[in-house]
């Protein structure tokens, strides 16, 4: 069955008021970017839906696989183009229903005439096409209220368009429509899921990872690059900033009382993320924290950590339990990578009894004996920045300018 075009339904974008066109243009651009390595196609955007007209129908399956991951799309339908002669329309209708129906499928025809000069009206089209399909496809049952297959027939002046399948999209808002934020990306389960949740709300992400060689290995670095690549499946690409963190982490370990090292480490990470946020024009910092999960994720710890910045720190998983997070990680394809057993800088130098209720003034006092400003400046200057795309392999790495 040759797919000539794809009908895309917006979902949440349709609820927007005077700014709707901005969201539609962003979605259109995201679709073009996601399919940039395929043959060009024409996109026609309307108030509630978008039509994607394929120049090369043999690429329809590839295009639809990518549309499933693009935020801002509620659902879409592959569409077949037919000539206006009734017999040709009937022939296409039978082929289309046969491709999606099975024995006992509940079925309905819904015709619509954009061209009012067509010789048959809507009821006559429903009857002629529906009765023909029922005769040609054995086992179908007519169901007007809740059909399993609804054959839509749209008559236009240049052709008749038919579709019989609705594919669920990713929902949410187009990436980029919610501005940009910095994602603190570790090698664990939580932060990739937090990144996914924010992208679904239209936020473009630049990821930051803290790297502490020789205490953390190249394998752990590759693991994070793989996670960034998996997130890039939803946005086309993700820029990853890898921060050299060894010197700062060793200094904290040597100078700060052991039970406060976790709090201080998180504060220094947040200060560096804040510097990257300024340089990249981002508006917020995103973390994968979940309340009560570890010592640094109590309300008292978050208060002490947050004290180093006025930047909004977004925690989309704050009320999620681990089971919820694991389910989403499996759904978005990051679970298998996240559970690889490579250490990261959050798992080294871990104190035996970290403070769960740290005092902000105490941790600030412990840090006051060290010139962290200069160490942060040096770390930011030495950041390695790479662009990850879907399907990352070590040889695919693309170096880029820092900012």
């Amino acid at each position: 069955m040759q797919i000539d075009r794809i009908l895309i339904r917006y979902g949440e974008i349709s609820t927007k008021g005077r700014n709707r066109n901005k969201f539609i243009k962003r979605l259109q651009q995201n679709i073009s970017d996601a399919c940039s390595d395929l043959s060009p196609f024409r996109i026609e955007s309307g108030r509630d839906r978008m039509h994607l007209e394929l120049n090369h129908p043999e690429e329809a399956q590839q295009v639809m696989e990518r549309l499933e991951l693009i935020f801002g799309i509620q659902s879409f339908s592959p569409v077949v183009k037919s000539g206006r002669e009734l017999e040709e329309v009937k022939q296409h209708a039978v082929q289309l229903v046969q491709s999606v129906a099975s024995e006992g499928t509940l079925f309905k025809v819904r015709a619509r005439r954009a061209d009012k000069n067509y010789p048959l009206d809507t009821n006559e089209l429903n009857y002629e096409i529906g009765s023909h399909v029922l005769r040609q496809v054995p086992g179908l049952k007519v169901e007007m209220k809740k059909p399993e297959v609804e054959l839509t027939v749209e008559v236009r002046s240049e052709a008749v368009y038919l579709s019989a399948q609705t594919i669920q999209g990713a929902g949410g808002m187009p990436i980029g429509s919610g501005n940009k934020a910095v994602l603190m990306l570790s090698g664990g389960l939580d932060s990739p899921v937090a990144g996914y949740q924010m992208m679904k709300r239209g936020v473009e992400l630049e990821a930051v990872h803290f790297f502490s060689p020789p205490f953390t290995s190249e394998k752990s670095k590759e693991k994070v690059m793989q996670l960034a690549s998996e997130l890039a499946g939803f946005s086309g690409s993700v820029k990853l900033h890898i921060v050299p963190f060894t010197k700062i982490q060793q200094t904290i370990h040597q100078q700060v009382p052991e039970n406060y090292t976790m709090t201080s480490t998180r504060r220094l990470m947040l200060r560096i993320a804040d510097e990257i946020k300024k340089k990249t024009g981002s508006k917020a910092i995103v973390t994968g924290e979940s309340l009560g999960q570890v010592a640094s994720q109590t309300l008292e710890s978050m208060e002490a950590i947050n004290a180093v910045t006025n930047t909004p720190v977004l925690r989309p998983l704050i009320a999620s339990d681990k089971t919820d997070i694991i389910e989403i990680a499996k759904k978005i394809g990051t679970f298998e990578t996240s559970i690889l057993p490579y250490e990261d800088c959050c798992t080294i130098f871990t104190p035996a009894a970290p403070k769960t209720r740290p005092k902000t003034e105490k941790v600030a006092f412990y840090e006051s004996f060290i010139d962290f400003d200069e160490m942060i400046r040096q770390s930011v200057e030495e950041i390695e920045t790479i662009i990850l795309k879907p399907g990352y392999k070590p040889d695919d790495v693309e170096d880029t300018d820092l900012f």
Side-chain angles (χ1 to χ4, degrees):
M1 201 77 209
Q2 176 171 299
I3 305 301
D4 301 284
R5 59 170 56 196
I6 299 170
L7 168 65
I8 296 170
R9 303 172 188 87
Y10 301 145
E12 191 172 343
I13 293 177
S14 301
T15 66
K16 300 300 177 186
R18 286 179 293 180
N19 291 324
R20 182 189 293 113
N21 285 340
K22 292 181 181 177
F23 291 96
I24 292 173
K25 284 180 181 177
R26 172 63 70 169
L27 176 59
Q28 186 170 325
Q29 186 60 54
N30 290 352
I31 292 172
S32 297
D33 291 345
C35 300
S36 59
D37 60 324
L38 302 178
S39 303
F41 45 70
R42 194 170 75 87
I43 299 178
E44 179 185 324
S45 302
R47 179 183 177 85
D48 297 318
R49 52 185 60 190
M50 183 180 289
H51 292 271
L52 196 156
E53 189 172 337
L54 301 170
N55 290 326
H56 294 270
E58 65 275 12
E59 294 182 341
Q61 188 58 39
Q62 287 175 274
V63 173
M64 289 193 290
E65 288 172 1
R66 298 182 190 191
L67 291 180
E68 285 187 74
L69 302 178
I70 296 175
F71 295 121
I73 296 176
Q74 189 66 29
S75 66
F76 59 92
S77 297
V79 177
V80 173
K81 183 179 180 180
S82 168
R84 286 165 52 91
E85 292 296 326
L86 184 59
E87 289 308 311
E88 186 177 347
V89 176
K90 288 179 177 178
Q91 181 183 349
H92 280 102
V94 169
Q95 292 174 353
L96 198 53
V97 173
Q98 282 176 328
S99 69
V100 296
S102 57
E103 182 72 26
T105 295
L106 304 177
F107 160 80
K108 172 187 176 182
V109 176
R110 184 168 63 90
R112 187 171 70 174
R113 293 189 312 159
D115 176 13
K116 302 301 182 186
N117 294 320
Y118 197 74
L120 298 181
D121 66 21
T122 300
N123 289 332
E124 290 170 332
L125 278 169
N126 286 336
Y127 175 77
E128 287 288 340
I129 296 171
S131 58
H132 181 74
V133 171
L134 284 170
R135 288 194 297 271
Q136 297 298 317
V137 183
L140 290 178
K141 296 179 181 177
V142 175
E143 168 57 55
M144 301 307 291
K145 292 185 177 178
K146 295 182 178 179
E148 295 170 309
V149 171
E150 181 173 280
L151 175 66
T152 62
V153 180
E154 183 169 335
V155 178
R156 292 191 175 190
S157 58
E158 75 281 5
V160 176
Y161 298 97
L162 303 98
S163 67
Q165 189 179 12
T166 299
I167 301 169
Q168 196 65 32
M173 299 296 292
I175 290 179
S177 63
N179 216 305
K180 186 161 66 172
V182 168
L183 169 67
M184 295 176 70
L185 183 64
S186 71
L189 279 163
D190 302 339
S191 54
V193 173
Y196 166 81
Q197 300 285 50
M198 293 309 301
M199 286 196 291
K200 188 171 184 178
R201 296 312 305 157
V203 176
E204 180 185 351
L205 295 178
E206 294 206 15
V208 178
H209 178 66
F210 296 89
F211 187 45
S212 294
F215 306 104
T216 56
S217 66
E218 284 296 318
K219 285 288 186 184
S220 73
K221 182 177 166 183
E222 287 181 10
K223 175 183 174 182
V224 172
M225 292 164 68
Q226 180 66 40
L227 287 170
S229 165
E230 286 159 0
L231 288 177
F234 301 95
S235 60
S237 67
V238 166
K239 190 178 283 187
L240 174 63
H241 304 284
I242 298 176
V243 181
F245 199 57
T246 310
K247 188 176 178 183
I248 292 177
Q249 202 159 10
Q250 284 180 309
T251 304
I252 293 170
H253 184 64
Q254 292 162 1
Q255 302 294 331
V256 174
E258 185 183 20
N259 58 353
Y260 268 87
T261 55
M262 181 66 75
T263 308
S264 190
T265 300
R266 299 290 185 183
R267 283 163 58 93
L268 269 295
M269 286 178 171
L270 196 57
R271 289 179 63 181
I272 292 174
D274 208 17
E275 292 300 314
I276 296 171
K277 168 249 170 192
K278 294 172 188 171
K279 290 179 178 292
T280 58
S282 301
K283 301 299 181 188
I285 296 171
V286 179
T287 78
E289 290 165 306
S290 171
L291 186 61
Q293 188 171 182
V294 294
S296 65
Q297 296 176 18
T298 63
L299 288 180
E300 292 86 348
S301 289
M302 291 183 203
E303 182 182 34
I305 295 166
N306 265 34
V308 300
T309 179
N310 291 321
T311 297
V313 179
L314 307 179
R315 299 178 169 92
L317 307 184
I318 195 66
S320 301
D321 62 31
K322 205 66 178 180
T323 304
D324 299 332
I325 295 169
I326 288 172
E327 284 302 311
I328 298 174
K330 289 179 177 176
K331 173 187 164 188
I332 65 176
T334 58
F335 177 78
E336 294 298 333
T337 304
S338 289
I339 62 173
L340 291 174
Y342 305 124
E343 75 295 336
D344 61 34
C345 64
C346 296
T347 59
I348 60 174
F349 301 128
T350 304
K355 273 282 183 185
T356 56
R357 295 180 178 179
K359 304 292 184 186
T360 304
E361 59 276 14
K362 277 193 175 182
V363 69
F365 174 74
Y366 299 141
E367 292 169 1
S368 66
F369 297 96
I370 310 156
D371 185 5
F372 279 122
D373 290 345
E374 176 59 20
M375 296 173 75
I376 289 172
R377 188 191 63 76
Q378 287 181 7
S379 282
V380 171
E381 278 187 356
E382 295 170 6
I383 283 174
E384 177 188 6
T385 300
I386 52 183
I387 295 175
L388 279 304
K389 296 183 177 177
Y392 158 75
K393 296 175 184 174
D395 292 337
D396 292 341
V397 173
E398 179 183 343
D399 293 314
T400 186
D401 293 335
L402 284 181
F403 303 107

